[in-house]
Amino acid sequence: WWAVERKLLEAAMGDSSGSVSIDVERIYFGGKEHPVRTRYGPVSVSVYGDEDKPALITYPDVALNYMSCFQGLFFCPEAASLLLHNFCIYHITPQGHELGAAPIPSDVPELSVDNLADQVADVLDFFGLGSVMCMGVTAGAYVLTLFAAKYRERVLGLMLVSPLCKAPSWSEWLYNKVLLNLLYYCGTSGLVNECFLQRYFSTEVRGSGQEPESEIVQACRSLLDQRQGVNVCRFLKAINERHDLTEALKKLRCRTLIFVGENSQFHADAVHMTTKLDRRYCALVEVQACGSLVTEEQPHAMLIPMEYFLMGYGMYRPSQLESSPRSTLNPFCISPELLSPESMGVKLKPIKTRASLIV
């Protein structure tokens, strides 16, 4: 899948006319890309599946798009059968992170995290969606959590991967300021790419003197080379100026499933977030020997917790239930026992797997 994006990108960049024309219908099993105009500028939304099904909104981390952030999860056969059988997927790509995107002109206003969350609401309005399930990774998880806090009636559940929820610490803020300067003056190149790879992956797959980089890291490095530094700057700057969501978390009532790699730079944020959410509706899955990008590094570890989580909405894999959902999710019709921690996978705790569930 990384090779698919790279080949498409090379084809786009090789267009002698200077314009980018890609048959997006061929990307990601026939999904279709929609340019959506929002109150804060255009975003690209790739839609896959039956639009009569409940909606699952995804949002990637900084410098990634849906192909490089969620493809590993959807290429995991069991996870694909669970998610694609039950949902129509709406992948939101931040402005300038699309395949073959040109640099965003300097006169286009920069967006805040609140603007990004409002764009999600505009996307839902564009497609005529009511209440949705959300899945985000790190920066994308923050945007969707903020969206859930601002538009509580429009979010039925959150599946978050290595999420951010606090304002950046001084060390993170300073680190990102240096990274922003490097991006602005040097673009996505050697040192900058190393910083992003450390953000995404564990040392196990990044390699060392004795062990080579895994193919997934090599491919990610190659794709980062093609990103426009100024575009990545805009998203990273918005995230570096984010505000603390701790108080807003206490008011959320949607069920939340949080994944975090034990080696993630954002492990502490994920744990903090779990302590502030209502314990009746929240579970944390710590994935061993994994970095932040669990959807790519260890997507198989997400399957069983997601299955138990979605059972609370009456959703199953096709082998478990042949009928396909056609109506809007309604957690208020779920029996209370399905909202218990046990229903979200706590019963898996004694099992020796790569995913350890924490309550």
Side-chain angles (χ1 to χ4, degrees), residues 188-205:
T188 50
S189 57
L191 179 59
V192 172
N193 289 354
E194 288 299 327
C195 293
F196 281 121
L197 293 174
Q198 289 178 22
R199 176 188 180 95
Y200 306 145
F201 300 111
S202 67
T203 54
E204 283 81 1
V205 295

Side-chain angles (χ1 to χ4, degrees), residues 177-189 192 228-230 233:
K177 290 293 284 187
V178 173
L179 189 54
L180 283 165
N181 285 328
L182 288 172
L183 275 167
Y184 184 81
Y185 290 108
C186 306
T188 50
S189 57
V192 172
Q228 297 291 344
V230 65
C233 263

Side-chain angles (χ1 to χ4, degrees), residues 253-274:
R253 287 296 176 265
C254 63
R255 300 173 70 230
T256 304
L257 178 61
I258 299 174
F259 296 92
V260 65
E262 68 171 351
N263 299 324
S264 170
Q265 298 176 8
F266 312 106
H267 185 278
D269 258 58
V271 173
H272 173 80
M273 187 173 190
T274 307

Side-chain angles (χ1 to χ4, degrees), residues 115-303:
N115 298 151
L116 297 176
D118 290 338
Q119 280 187 324
V120 177
D122 292 344
V123 168
L124 267 59
D125 292 339
F126 177 87
F127 290 103
L129 302 175
S131 299
V132 299
M133 186 72 70
C134 296
M135 177 185 289
V137 175
T138 311
Y142 178 92
V143 172
L144 291 179
T145 303
L146 178 57
F147 168 70
K150 297 182 70 172
Y151 302 89
R152 281 183 285 175
E153 72 285 354
R154 307 199 72 170
V155 177
L156 292 165
L158 292 169
M159 292 186 283
L160 307 176
V161 180
S162 305
L164 303 172
C165 68
K166 297 189 291 185
S169 64
W170 279 107
S171 58
E172 183 195 345
W173 181 87
L174 183 59
Y175 180 88
N176 284 341
K177 290 293 284 187
V178 173
L179 189 54
L180 283 165
N181 285 328
L182 288 172
L183 275 167
Y184 184 81
Y185 290 108
C186 306
T188 50
S189 57
L191 179 59
V192 172
N193 289 354
E194 288 299 327
C195 293
F196 281 121
L197 293 174
Q198 289 178 22
R199 176 188 180 95
Y200 306 145
F201 300 111
S202 67
T203 54
E204 283 81 1
V205 295
R206 292 205 315 274
S208 61
Q210 293 75 30
E211 297 293 331
E213 282 185 343
S214 69
E215 291 184 2
I216 190 173
V217 175
Q218 293 175 16
C220 186
R221 183 190 300 279
S222 177
L223 292 172
L224 286 172
D225 286 336
Q226 307 299 330
R227 296 288 183 253
Q228 297 291 344
V230 65
N231 299 354
V232 177
C233 263
R234 294 166 67 92
F235 191 11
L236 182 59
K237 185 176 181 181
I239 291 299
N240 204 38
E241 296 173 355
R242 68 187 185 269
H243 47 86
D244 195 325
L245 296 180
T246 297
E247 290 303 314
L249 293 175
K250 298 175 183 177
K251 300 176 183 178
L252 287 182
R253 287 296 176 265
C254 63
R255 300 173 70 230
T256 304
L257 178 61
I258 299 174
F259 296 92
V260 65
E262 68 171 351
N263 299 324
S264 170
Q265 298 176 8
F266 312 106
H267 185 278
D269 258 58
V271 173
H272 173 80
M273 187 173 190
T274 307
T275 63
K276 300 306 176 183
L277 289 165
D278 191 325
R279 290 174 61 88
R280 295 172 298 169
Y281 308 114
C282 175
L284 173 66
V285 180
E286 184 181 62
V287 183
Q288 298 173 7
C290 189
S292 298
L293 202 55
V294 182
T295 51
E296 299 301 327
E297 192 170 340
Q298 291 196 36
H300 57 276
M302 299 177 64
L303 174 63

